[in-house]
C-alpha cells in the first residue's frame, strides 16, 4: 500500500507491474484490493496497474459530507497528476464508472481509453426516478446497520448465484469494514449524478462490460450507454453479476487486455 495527499485527503492505493498505466476505480462498496486484486495480479505483466481507494473507502480519508461526483472526479484527476501518469487507461466499476465518466467530462484529454463495467450514466441518468429514490433510501438506511448486517444486505445484489463462494467471502470482508459516512457520500453522489449529456461527446475508445446476471445495472442500462457513446464496444459477460472483476477475473482481464491491445494498435 502507498498513499498520496490530494487536496487535504490521504488517498491510499495499490500499484503493480510496468507498462502503459491503467487506473482502476472501485464501486461504492469494497476497496482497491477487494475489487481489483485479480486485475493487479492478472494485468501487471503488461500494464502499470494502479487501483485507488476512493475518499471514504478502504484506507483513504473520509470526505466531507458535501462531497459529490464532481469532487470525486476532481480528486481522481489530482491523483493521476500526483502520480505523474501520462494519459492512462481508466477502468471503473459501478460507482467507479460514474466517477470515470465525470472525470472525462471535466478532463477529456486525460483518459486514453475507458473501460466501464456495471456502469451507469449516474443513477439519475440511467434509472427511473422512482428507482433512484428507493435505492438511495435503502442505502441510507443500510448505512446505519452493524457491519455484518450491512454486508449481508448489500451482497445479495452484487453477485450471481453461481459466483465462487471464496471470492464473495473475500469481498465481504472489505464490505464489513465500510465507513458509513463515506458510503453515504458515494450513494448520494451516485443518485444525484446524471451524465447523459457527456455520452455523445466521448471520443476515446470505450469498452462496456455488462454481466447478464447483473441486477443492479442490468443489460438495458448497458445497451443505452452503448447506443449513446459513439466509440463504444459492448461485451456481455455470460452468467456474471454486478461485481464482474471479482466474480469472473479471468474473463474480465481477457476482455480488458484484448480491448487495450486493439486500441493501442489502432491508435498507433
Amino acid at each position: 500500500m502507498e498513499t498520496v495527499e490530494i487536496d487535504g485527503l490521504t488517498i491510499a492505493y495499490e500499484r503493480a507491474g510496468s507498462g502503459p498505466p491503467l487506473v482502476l476505480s472501485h464501486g461504492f462498496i469494497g476497496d482497491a484490493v477487494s475489487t481489483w486484486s485479480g486485475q493487479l495480479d492478472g494485468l501487471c505483466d503488461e500494464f502499470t496497474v494502479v487501483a485507488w481507494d476512493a475518499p471514504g473507502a478502504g484506507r483513504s480519508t473520509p470526505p466531507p459530507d458535501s462531497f459529490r461526483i464532481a469532487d470525486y472526479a476532481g480528486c481522481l484527476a489530482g491523483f493521476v497528476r500526483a502520480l505523474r501518469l501520462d494519459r492512462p487507461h481508466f477502468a471503473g466499476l459501478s460507482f467507479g464508472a460514474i466517477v470515470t465518466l465525470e472525470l472525462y467530462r471535466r478532463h477529456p484529454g486525460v483518459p486514453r481509453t475507458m473501460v466501464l463495467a456495471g456502469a451507469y450514466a449516474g443513477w439519475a441518468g440511467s434509472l427511473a426516478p422512482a428507482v433512484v429514490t428507493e435505492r438511495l433510501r435503502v442505502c441510507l438506511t443500510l448505512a446505519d446497520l452493524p457491519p455484518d448486517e450491512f454486508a449481508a444486505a448489500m451482497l445479495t445484489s452484487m453477485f450471481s448465484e453461481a459466483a465462487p463462494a471464496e471470492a464473495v467471502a473475500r469481498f465481504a470482508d472489505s464490505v464489513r469494514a465500510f465507513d458509513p459516512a463515506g458510503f453515504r457520500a458515494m450513494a448520494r453522489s451516485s443518485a444525484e449524478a446524471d451524465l447523459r449529456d457527456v455520452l455523445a461527446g466521448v471520443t476515446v475508445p470505450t469498452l462496456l462490460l455488462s454481466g447478464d446476471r447483473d441486477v443492479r445495472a442490468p443489460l438495458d442500462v448497458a445497451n443505452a450507454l452503448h447506443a449513446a457513446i459513439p466509440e463504444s464496444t459492448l461485451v456481455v459477460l455470460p452468467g456474471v453479476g454486478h461485481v464482474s472483476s471479482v466474480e469472473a477475473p479471468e474473463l474480465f482481464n481477457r476482455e480488458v487486455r484484448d480491448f487495450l491491445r486493439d486500441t493501442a494498435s489502432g491508435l498507433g
Side-chain angles (χ1 to χ4, degrees):
M1 181 193 73
E2 301 178 68
T3 62
V4 64
E5 295 295 316
I6 307 294
D7 296 332
L9 298 174
T10 299
I11 301 299
Y13 64 98
E14 301 283 340
R15 175 167 24 194
S18 61
L22 170 62
V23 176
L24 308 177
S25 297
H26 57 78
F28 76 159
I29 61 172
D31 56 18
V33 173
S34 65
T35 305
W36 300 115
S37 60
Q39 290 64 53
L40 287 158
D41 293 340
L43 294 172
C44 66
D45 60 324
E46 193 167 344
F47 303 96
T48 299
V49 186
V50 180
W52 82 333
D53 285 346
R59 299 143 298 176
S60 291
T61 304
D65 290 342
S66 60
F67 227 63
R68 291 297 183 267
I69 204 66
D71 302 300
Y72 285 101
C75 188
L76 182 57
F79 174 77
V80 168
R81 287 193 300 271
L83 269 59
R84 299 182 180 179
L85 303 175
D86 183 28
R87 291 213 67 205
H89 305 287
F90 284 83
L93 173 74
S94 191
F95 169 76
I98 304 173
V99 175
T100 299
L101 280 170
E102 180 65 20
L103 181 144
Y104 183 86
R105 178 211 293 276
R106 295 173 176 276
H107 307 280
V110 172
R112 184 175 297 274
T113 66
M114 295 189 291
V115 177
L116 308 176
Y120 313 89
W123 292 356
S126 290
L127 304 174
V131 174
V132 175
T133 299
E134 177 61 12
R135 184 176 289 195
L136 180 60
R137 184 195 67 78
V138 169
C139 286
L140 297 179
T141 299
L142 294 180
D144 293 328
L145 292 178
D148 285 345
E149 294 179 33
F150 174 80
M154 291 301 305
L155 289 171
T156 58
S157 62
M158 294 295 163
F159 298 96
S160 75
E161 293 181 356
E166 290 185 4
V168 174
R170 286 194 299 270
F171 188 76
D173 288 340
S174 73
V175 178
R176 292 186 190 96
F178 83 112
D179 176 79
F183 173 73
R184 283 191 289 266
M186 287 185 276
R188 289 191 176 105
S189 296
S190 299
E192 294 172 12
D194 183 349
L195 307 183
R196 284 175 290 183
D197 62 323
V198 178
L199 305 180
V202 172
T203 59
V204 299
T206 301
L207 172 65
L208 300 165
L209 295 177
S210 178
D212 69 0
R213 297 294 184 270
D214 187 343
V215 298
R216 294 194 65 85
L219 187 55
D220 62 340
V221 172
N223 283 330
L225 292 171
H226 179 42
I229 300 175
E231 297 292 328
S232 66
T233 300
L234 172 61
V235 173
V236 178
L237 306 177
V240 178
H242 188 57
V243 189
S244 52
S245 60
V246 173
E247 182 169 340
E250 295 84 3
L251 177 57
F252 188 102
N253 292 353
R254 184 176 74 231
E255 295 296 345
V256 169
R257 189 188 299 273
D258 289 349
F259 169 72
L260 296 182
R261 285 177 175 175
D262 289 347
T263 57
S265 62
L267 293 170

